[in-house]
Amino acid sequence: MAQSREWTRLSGEHRALIEEFQANESVAVGALAQRLGLRIKVANLGPGNSGQISRNADGGYIIKVNRFEAKERQRFTIAHEIAHFLLHRDIIDASPEGIRDTVLYRSGAPENIEYQANRLAADILMPRGSVERRLGELGGRVSEGVIEVLAQDFKVSKGAMEIRLQNVAA
Ligand SMILES: [Zn+2]
């Protein structure tokens, strides 16, 4: 199963760093963000917003994540904002607000930017090789129960895992 275009666009250094964190099925996205030099703040972003990444006055970057959303959802949001950082730094830098994502991961930036960030976030949290291997251990057939087990293993929502499995199975 080929990696996404977004994954292949990353520098070798960034890919190696992410792969280091992927040694665990549950990727420590907070620690990964820190290794990339990003600060994370769990914040009150107002209803309808999931996350934001922006540049500070000191030139560093900060990810804010909605404190009222479920942990799995927050993990996906952090991975999505990391993806923006790795792929779309120019867009973040173009506005003092950076990129602010609604619950649907729409930001006002062109749609394809959001698809790219979602694909890379999925690659970070649910690497295809690991999902395929774990699926094989569970018998290789996708069912409600298997989706639930895999979602727990990778600490993602069932919805996110279901989408990933559609790609893996295809
Ligand atoms: Zn986004």
Side-chain angles (χ1 to χ4, degrees), residues 51 53 80-81 84 88 99-102 105-107 109 113-115 117-118:
I53 181 162
H80 178 101
E81 303 306 336
H84 278 317
H88 309 130
I99 296 176
R100 180 189 276 257
D101 285 294
T102 68
Y105 297 115
R106 296 206 176 112
S107 62
I113 301 290
E114 297 307 327
Y115 292 135
N118 280 338

Side-chain angles (χ1 to χ4, degrees), residues 43-73:
N44 187 352
L45 293 175
N49 293 303
S50 282
Q52 184 176 16
I53 181 162
S54 58
R55 198 158 122 158
N56 290 329
D58 64 11
Y61 291 82
I62 183 162
I63 290 173
K64 290 182 186 157
V65 58
N66 188 328
R67 71 162 74 247
F68 298 111
E69 292 186 335
K71 271 278 171 292
E72 290 76 15
R73 171 77 187 182

Side-chain angles (χ1 to χ4, degrees), residues 6-143:
E6 289 71 31
W7 177 260
T8 59
R9 270 174 61 192
L10 299 181
S11 69
E13 193 192 337
H14 284 150
R15 284 203 294 258
L17 177 64
I18 294 167
E19 279 167 353
E20 195 184 301
F21 281 86
Q22 289 173 334
N24 281 326
E25 275 164 8
S26 159
V27 172
V29 276
L32 171 60
Q34 278 179 354
R35 283 282 294 278
L36 288 165
L38 306 171
R39 285 182 52 213
I40 293 190
K41 198 174 162 199
V42 180
N44 187 352
L45 293 175
N49 293 303
S50 282
Q52 184 176 16
I53 181 162
S54 58
R55 198 158 122 158
N56 290 329
D58 64 11
Y61 291 82
I62 183 162
I63 290 173
K64 290 182 186 157
V65 58
N66 188 328
R67 71 162 74 247
F68 298 111
E69 292 186 335
K71 271 278 171 292
E72 290 76 15
R73 171 77 187 182
Q74 290 179 352
R75 284 168 50 75
F76 194 90
T77 297
I78 291 167
H80 178 101
E81 303 306 336
I82 289 173
H84 278 317
F85 174 75
L86 295 174
L87 300 170
H88 309 130
R89 198 105 29 111
D90 50 335
I91 297 174
I92 299 169
D93 291 349
S95 155
E97 265 230 317
I99 296 176
R100 180 189 276 257
D101 285 294
T102 68
V103 290
L104 297 172
Y105 297 115
R106 296 206 176 112
S107 62
E111 282 275 283
N112 64 323
I113 301 290
E114 297 307 327
Y115 292 135
Q116 289 169 5
N118 280 338
R119 280 195 296 262
L120 185 55
D123 280 349
I124 291 171
L125 290 172
M126 300 169 281
R128 287 159 202 259
S130 308
V131 171
E132 281 170 345
R133 194 189 60 238
R134 195 67 188 104
L135 178 63
E137 288 168 5
L138 295 167
R141 273 244 172 80
V142 176
S143 65

